[in-house]
Amino acid sequence: MKKVISLSLSAVLLVGALSACGSKGGDTASSGGDSSSSSDSSKPMSITWFDGTWSTPVPEPNGEAVKKINEKFNITFQPQYIPFDLYDDKLTVKMASGDIPDVIGTEGADANYVKWAKQGAFLPLNDFVNDYDTFKAIPQSVWDAVSVDGKIYGIPLYFPASGGKKPVIRKDWLDKLGLKVPTNFEELKEVATAFATKDPDGNGKNDTVGLGLAKNITYDPSFGAYWANTWYHKNSDGQLIPGQISEGSKEKITALNELYKAGAIDKDWATKPYNDVFKDFNAGKVGIWYEQVGVNKGAQPSNLDIPTLKKNVPGAEVVSIPAFTAPDGTKGYVSGSGYYRIWMLSSALKKDDAKVKKILEMINDMEQYVPAKDQNPSNEYFDWTYGGEGKGYNMVDGVPEQSDDFSKYAPLAYFNEKLGGWIEGDKSMKDYEVQSKTPESKAFNKEMVDMLQHSDLYVSPVGRIHSSVLDSKMPSLNEFANNELTKMIVGQRPVSDWDKYVSEYMAKGGKQVVDDVNNLIKEANIQGEWTKAQQ
């Protein structure tokens, strides 16, 4: 879901912008109040808000929802929302213009977020955040991710840490061939090879794929943190290293090479877009692929469409594959970041505590979690945030369904795409079962969530620090790794070249990345950790 933003902004332009705002970067705000506050309590304060959106139509600057927000919070709300496919460029211009809004949104704590924070564009919020209930449940790992030099520069929006694509398998194929869900790479090779060579769909043709795989080794067939492209392993010097050069990846690539030679992987996988693999899976031709919990399976091209699969193959049954047990005894998946999107406050608000607190009050109020069972017109808070039944939404089979005018009537459209979640943690994942529109999706979501609720999740320490060296060098290192590992899978380069490949990787900038990342982790006293998924 999260896009990689690769923007550039000259320091000269940004300094000019900050000067125009009258801001002073780097000072920690005080929550003790300031007699020089620029806000006049006798009239509604004006709050400008600039963010990207996926909503269609784009939330209006003067729609019915804005009127509701003004009335509730006694403000003059001035939002400007830009479609995300245009937002990156617009944000660059806005940050350089000298007209920085009170609130600025972004999708993640990328290199520009860090750069702008260090240049003084955003207000540090450390002294404010503990005063708001919905912020108190935000994990420290997420606060670390949105902090720069120990200062919190943004309010993160909840996104399930246990979300993201996980491996799934055709259980009906397993049953037909007398096999079980694989628990290690040896069993995976047996199952995937049988899926490709023993006619599991019973049509008498050799037209099935065991393990789905697409170009750039998508999705990463790691089956657990030990084998993933994360910083799980250490080198002989005790430094954490990227997953692409780890012993876990060597084991994974070896298995994939053997699967390719056995015909268990599509022979054209290295040039195949991943969306095409979804189409093949939905057509009933792929045995192992990837999916995540969600309401509208098939609403986007990159989704497993279970109702369509069931139409194509009435007896099809899809279940998740739990993480394999690693050689070191651990068993679990890599945790997601735990957030998606951040709101930053302009450093021009340094002497306006009243406005800072009003903005945080709004975010706190709008980010409350509403369980699926309470998402109905009888819940006053839900009905208001969703724009009112018959306007912002309609109840369909007991589930709220956004109307075409949702972004016109619903205040929530200006704050988030889902209802909070921080307080309840990943318990909100269970709501997908209730909200699913088809029996097939309900069953899939229930099974997947049950698996995730009993899985360990690994919080990567690298997501909690900000390395400019990593940001600048990893794109080319990832490209190099994908190219060389693809060659190993298809047999154009022997896996016995592994040590040579690692040396090449390190010489291309990998050593600089490893050194910088480990130094930053040590300085911040940050560790990666296994955490039990919330029950």
Side-chain angles (χ1 to χ4, degrees):
M1 173 181 291
K2 190 179 296 182
K3 298 184 296 181
V4 177
I5 306 176
S6 56
L7 311 177
S8 61
L9 181 66
S10 74
V12 173
L13 287 175
L14 184 55
V15 170
L18 297 176
S19 298
C21 290
S23 63
K24 295 181 181 179
D27 293 332
T28 301
S30 169
S31 61
D34 191 320
S35 60
S36 63
S37 171
S38 62
S39 296
D40 182 352
S41 59
S42 66
K43 62 180 181 180
M45 68 174 63
S46 173
I47 295 176
T48 54
W49 196 290
F50 186 79
D51 201 358
T53 183
W54 293 112
S55 296
T56 303
V58 173
E60 303 172 4
N62 297 299
E64 291 294 321
V66 172
K67 295 178 182 178
K68 294 178 182 179
I69 292 169
N70 287 339
E71 292 171 0
K72 180 178 178 68
F73 296 107
N74 188 31
I75 62 171
T76 301
F77 189 45
Q78 299 181 47
Q80 183 180 3
Y81 273 83
I82 308 294
F84 264 125
D85 57 351
L86 303 173
Y87 185 63
D88 295 356
D89 292 338
K90 298 288 186 182
L91 178 60
T92 304
V93 173
K94 180 66 71 172
M95 293 298 294
S97 69
D99 182 25
I100 301 178
D102 296 324
V103 180
I104 309 100
T106 189
E107 288 191 281
D110 65 354
N112 284 311
Y113 174 86
V114 175
K115 178 174 65 176
W116 293 334
K118 287 187 174 183
Q119 292 176 338
F122 310 137
L123 181 72
L125 300 172
N126 302 59
D127 292 342
F128 293 95
V129 295
N130 289 332
D131 295 333
Y132 301 90
D133 289 340
T134 60
F135 304 160
K136 292 178 181 178
I138 296 176
Q140 185 58 45
S141 60
V142 176
W143 283 129
D144 288 342
V146 300
S147 297
V148 179
D149 298 329
K151 295 177 182 177
I152 296 170
Y153 285 106
I155 302 299
L157 281 72
Y158 168 77
F159 188 82
S162 58
K165 304 290 188 186
K166 302 294 187 295
V168 296
I169 191 167
R170 286 283 300 274
K171 185 176 183 301
D172 55 308
W173 284 10
L174 289 172
D175 293 342
K176 180 175 181 179
L177 299 178
L179 300 169
K180 295 181 180 180
V181 174
T183 62
N184 54 51
F185 276 100
E186 285 302 314
E187 293 176 4
L188 176 73
K189 287 186 287 185
E190 177 188 3
V191 168
T193 302
F195 280 0
T197 61
K198 295 187 177 180
D199 192 24
D201 61 353
N203 68 353
K205 300 178 181 178
N206 185 25
D207 60 354
T208 53
V209 173
L211 173 68
L213 195 63
K215 65 179 180 180
N216 295 324
I217 318 180
T218 304
Y219 291 100
D220 177 27
S222 59
F223 297 89
Y226 180 91
W227 302 276
N229 292 329
T230 189
W231 294 63
Y232 181 94
H233 293 261
K234 293 182 179 181
N235 61 21
S236 58
D237 294 325
Q239 293 177 305
L240 290 166
I241 58 174
Q244 296 103 319
I245 58 173
S246 70
E247 284 300 307
S249 275
K250 182 179 180 180
E251 180 183 345
K252 175 178 64 182
I253 297 301
T254 300
L256 292 175
N257 170 253
E258 293 172 357
L259 283 166
Y260 182 79
K261 289 188 291 187
I265 300 174
D266 190 325
K267 61 180 174 55
D268 297 322
W269 73 268
T271 59
K272 192 161 194 167
Y274 71 94
N275 283 344
D276 286 354
V277 186
F278 276 104
K279 294 176 183 177
D280 293 343
F281 192 97
N282 294 334
K285 295 301 179 183
V286 177
I288 301 170
W289 188 226
Y290 303 84
E291 192 46 88
Q292 60 190 330
V293 175
V295 175
N296 297 315
K297 299 289 93 180
Q300 298 173 336
S302 56
N303 268 347
L304 185 159
D305 188 345
I306 296 178
T308 295
L309 173 63
K310 296 284 278 189
K311 289 178 182 177
N312 292 327
V313 187
E317 183 178 359
V318 180
V319 297
S320 58
I321 303 178
F324 296 167
T325 300
D328 62 3
T330 56
K331 180 179 180 180
Y333 284 113
V334 179
S335 172
S337 66
Y339 77 97
Y340 168 62
R341 298 174 67 179
I342 314 169
W343 286 317
M344 300 80 73
L345 276 62
S346 169
S347 61
L349 301 179
K350 178 179 180 291
K351 293 185 177 181
D352 197 346
D353 281 5
K355 183 176 282 192
V356 171
K357 291 176 180 179
K358 175 62 75 171
I359 291 169
L360 295 179
E361 173 196 338
M362 292 167 61
I363 296 174
N364 177 70
D365 189 87
M366 294 303 299
E367 292 303 297
Q368 295 179 50
Y369 171 60
V370 180
K373 64 182 179 63
D374 297 326
Q375 294 182 22
N376 55 64
S378 64
N379 184 301
E380 184 177 352
Y381 172 80
F382 169 79
D383 188 64
W384 183 84
T385 57
Y386 248 53
E389 185 181 18
K391 291 184 176 181
Y393 73 100
N394 297 290
M395 296 300 293
V396 179
D397 298 326
V399 176
E401 189 172 282
Q402 294 179 5
S403 70
D404 292 340
D405 292 324
F406 177 78
S407 61
K408 177 180 179 180
Y409 292 107
L412 188 66
Y414 292 79
F415 290 86
N416 201 350
E417 278 119 24
K418 70 181 271 93
L419 287 155
W422 286 117
I423 292 177
E424 294 294 321
D426 276 4
K427 285 184 179 179
S428 64
M429 292 282 280
K430 293 185 177 180
D431 292 345
Y432 289 113
E433 177 190 349
V434 178
Q435 296 166 330
S436 295
K437 301 182 186 306
T438 67
E440 296 87 357
S441 293
K442 286 180 185 289
F444 173 84
N445 285 331
K446 182 180 187 308
E447 195 277 336
M448 176 69 82
V449 170
D450 286 348
M451 184 276 287
L452 293 171
Q453 292 288 305
H454 295 88
S455 294
D456 287 339
L457 296 176
Y458 181 70
V459 179
S460 172
V462 179
R464 301 169 67 176
I465 54 96
H466 301 288
S467 166
S468 59
V469 178
L470 180 144
D471 290 338
S472 65
K473 293 189 176 297
M474 280 307 292
S476 61
L477 285 171
N478 285 336
E479 182 179 6
F480 169 74
N482 279 333
N483 288 338
E484 298 310 306
L485 297 179
T486 294
K487 292 176 185 177
M488 289 185 186
I489 294 171
V490 301
Q492 293 178 359
R493 182 173 186 175
V495 180
S496 59
D497 259 6
W498 189 266
D499 290 344
K500 183 180 179 182
Y501 150 72
V502 172
S503 296
E504 294 166 354
Y505 182 101
M506 295 296 279
K508 290 180 178 293
K511 185 179 188 307
Q512 292 171 270
V513 172
V514 169
D515 288 344
D516 191 61
V517 164
N518 280 272
N519 287 337
L520 290 171
I521 290 172
K522 184 177 180 180
E523 290 172 4
N525 195 29
I526 286 174
Q527 300 291 324
E529 69 266 6
W530 285 99
T531 58
K532 195 70 175 178
Q534 296 184 31
Q535 300 298 313

